Amino acid sequence: MTRHIRIAVCSVVVVTVAAVFGAGAGPAQAQPRDALVAPAGPVLAPLVGLAAERVLLADQVAAAKYGTESPIDDPSREKQVLDAMAEEARGLGLDPAEATAVFKDQIEASKLVQRELFRAWDRGTARPPEHRPTLAEIRPLIDSVNHRLLAELSATDPVRDGARCVIRLVSVERTVAGRLRLSPLHETGLLRALPSVCRAG
């Protein structure tokens, strides 16, 4: 794992812990014993699996953009996605701001993977894929994942509060990453996609 990937992982961990425990809160091991039990962990598995699916789609996005005028950062497209998810969240009875925060993390996770792939291809440490899909082909796949992910946010709404959610989320993330055999880069992307899933307690 490269140095900047390790830094990214550490940053995600720091942000998540700070958001959940807040300044002056006790360490994770100081939580009551029942907080370490995660019966709702499997409930979060579909949500984490969809986040992983979206992270893996970043490879195709990178392949479509590499060597073209399409930038990794695309504010217009990002706003379009976030606005659509906020509106759909309202229809599901979810807080649009919470939904927007989650999808901002999905977008940043995708861009993290894209940037790393661009660097590897530029350096010649990896070869760009031979198949170069178009963004028009990939975006419906991403949109499909987005809609399903939002539905999982609604389904898991009762269990996404505080420290217990984080403990469950960490456990599920490790399980999903192992099941999918994610590379260090893609697991870093998955970690970057998850900080806003749990609400601060």
Side-chain angles (χ1 to χ4, degrees):
M1 189 183 296
T2 63
R3 180 173 177 272
H4 49 272
I5 292 178
R6 289 196 297 270
I7 291 171
V9 174
C10 291
S11 297
V12 170
V13 172
V14 169
V15 169
T16 302
V17 172
V20 174
F21 295 109
Q29 60 266 32
Q31 295 298 307
R33 181 177 177 81
D34 64 351
L36 301 178
V37 180
V43 174
L44 295 171
L47 189 157
V48 176
L50 286 166
E53 184 177 341
R54 202 181 190 287
V55 164
L56 290 168
L57 281 170
D59 290 28
Q60 295 185 51
V61 177
K65 292 181 176 181
Y66 188 67
T68 74
E69 295 182 357
S70 297
I72 291 176
D73 290 281
D74 187 347
S76 177
R77 164 66 177 174
E78 292 170 23
K79 184 178 185 304
Q80 183 182 42
V81 170
L82 294 176
D83 287 350
M85 292 298 98
E87 185 62 29
E88 191 171 334
R90 289 187 187 94
L92 293 172
L94 293 171
D95 182 344
E98 286 187 3
T100 298
V102 171
F103 281 95
K104 280 183 179 177
D105 284 343
Q106 308 311 303
I107 290 169
E108 291 304 317
S110 177
K111 292 193 293 186
L112 182 155
V113 172
Q114 291 176 56
R115 290 188 185 104
E116 286 300 315
L117 290 174
F118 272 35
R119 289 189 185 103
W121 297 339
D122 285 343
R123 290 192 303 258
T125 54
R127 297 179 62 182
E130 294 183 5
H131 176 61
R132 301 286 295 274
T134 66
L135 291 175
E137 292 173 322
I138 302 163
R139 283 175 174 170
L141 302 178
I142 295 172
D143 290 342
S144 174
V145 174
N146 287 348
H147 294 309
R148 288 181 283 145
L149 203 158
L150 192 61
E152 284 302 323
L153 285 175
S154 178
T156 57
D157 191 61
V159 299
R160 292 190 292 104
D161 289 310
R164 293 188 183 191
C165 174
V166 173
I167 293 166
R168 292 162 178 160
L169 191 65
V170 168
S171 175
V172 171
E173 185 280 326
R174 290 172 180 168
T175 299
V176 169
R179 175 171 56 82
L180 296 178
R181 298 182 180 180
L182 296 183
S183 69
L185 172 58
H186 292 103
E187 185 166 11
T188 299
L190 179 56
L191 288 167
R192 180 63 188 87
L194 299 177
S196 296
V197 167
C198 297
R199 304 182 191 93

